[in-house]
Amino acid sequence: MRRKLVAGNWKMFGLNADLPQVEAIAAAAAANPGVDVALCLPFTLIEKAAKVAGALPIGAQDVHEADKGAHTGCIAAPMLVEAGASLVIVGHSERRSDQHETSHDAWAKAAAARRHGLKVILCCGETDAERDAGRAERIVQSQIEKSLPDGAGGDWLTLAYEPRWAIGTGKTPTPDEIGSIHAIARAKLRTMVGDAADGISILYGGSVTGANAAAILATDNVDGALVGGASLTAEKFVPIIEAAASV
């Protein structure tokens, strides 16, 4: 059985003054051992957070496909490992839209992360316009097909379905709508990697809160949540962890 995973994505938030939140979230994670919890932080906080987080895994929000080179402003997987990261998000919708990253970019980054022992949360999801046009299923299937690295399967890879129109907007699809896309994603994984698909967790992300987490996490094929704004403080994040523990 796949364990629930609740991963926080702090995005471009977080200074040294926020490290006590990391400690509080780590304490809540330790108090709920039946749930896996992780925090993906800005690059500037990874090393400091890793020192105060205890057993709580600390991750990054992006990685470059190359191990080193003339890539101004980018971060390589060996740098993340040295800083104390154990996982990384790739293919996030904000990277796809704001930095114009493609599914091939996500594929290359996931492969680079795996080479250096980092776990990967691989994101996929449609825009509002794509959903309105009836293309949500095809978009998600295509992104999985083009982003999934070779050798997918096992506990190093997690998939996250994040409908772009639900991120930071307060809009959330119904549990039935989420379950439908997650079932399609699971079926696509199975066509690509066979029985190994059953070992790949699929998270939901997009305006997850303490109020709606229990209903979302009880949905078939939803193995956890990738949480944005609600992960910035223990006050808002811990109820989501506790909801996962109750499912």
Side-chain angles (χ1 to χ4, degrees):
M1 178 178 289
R2 296 179 297 272
R3 288 169 56 88
K4 296 294 187 188
L5 167 62
V6 179
N9 174 14
W10 277 23
K11 305 187 180 183
M12 201 171 71
F13 295 95
L15 300 171
N16 289 345
D18 299 301
L19 287 171
Q21 297 296 335
V22 175
E23 295 180 271
I25 290 168
N32 291 275
V35 178
D36 293 330
V37 183
L39 285 177
C40 293
L41 305 179
F43 298 131
T44 52
L45 281 185
I46 291 173
E47 185 169 9
K48 295 173 183 177
K51 291 177 180 178
V52 302
L56 176 71
I58 299 298
Q61 301 165 21
D62 188 41
V63 65
H64 196 275
E65 65 184 78
D67 292 350
K68 58 183 177 180
H71 305 291
T72 301
C74 298
I75 302 291
M79 297 174 179
L80 295 179
V81 173
E82 187 173 74
S86 58
L87 71 152
V88 62
I89 298 170
V90 301
H92 191 278
S93 64
E94 290 162 358
R95 300 291 307 181
R96 292 177 187 261
S97 60
D98 297 349
Q99 278 72 43
H100 309 292
E101 292 186 1
T102 66
S103 292
H104 178 77
D105 293 327
W107 172 85
K109 291 180 176 191
R114 188 192 182 200
R115 283 199 307 270
H116 294 279
L118 290 167
K119 293 185 177 181
V120 172
I121 299 177
L122 174 64
C123 299
C124 62
E126 80 283 0
T127 65
D128 203 354
E130 289 166 342
R131 187 174 188 85
D132 289 345
R135 300 179 60 220
E137 296 179 5
R138 282 179 289 168
I139 292 296
V140 169
Q141 290 171 326
S142 175
Q143 288 178 348
I144 293 172
E145 181 175 353
K146 295 176 181 178
S147 301
L148 203 69
D150 297 337
D155 65 358
W156 72 273
L157 179 67
T158 297
L159 190 69
Y161 167 59
E162 288 199 315
R164 300 191 199 184
W165 51 271
I167 297 174
T169 64
K171 300 178 182 178
T172 309
T174 67
D176 284 346
E177 290 172 328
I178 295 169
S180 175
I181 293 292
H182 277 232
I184 289 165
R186 178 78 61 201
K188 182 62 178 178
L189 289 172
R190 195 167 284 116
T191 65
M192 296 182 69
V193 300
D195 291 342
D198 293 331
I200 299 175
S201 293
I202 306 178
L203 313 182
Y204 169 75
S207 298
V208 178
T209 67
N212 62 23
I216 292 172
L217 293 170
T219 304
D220 286 346
N221 281 307
V222 176
D223 303 310
L226 181 57
V227 184
S231 70
L232 295 174
T233 65
E235 180 183 8
K236 292 184 177 180
F237 196 44
V238 172
I240 300 174
I241 297 171
E242 292 173 343
S246 72
V247 174

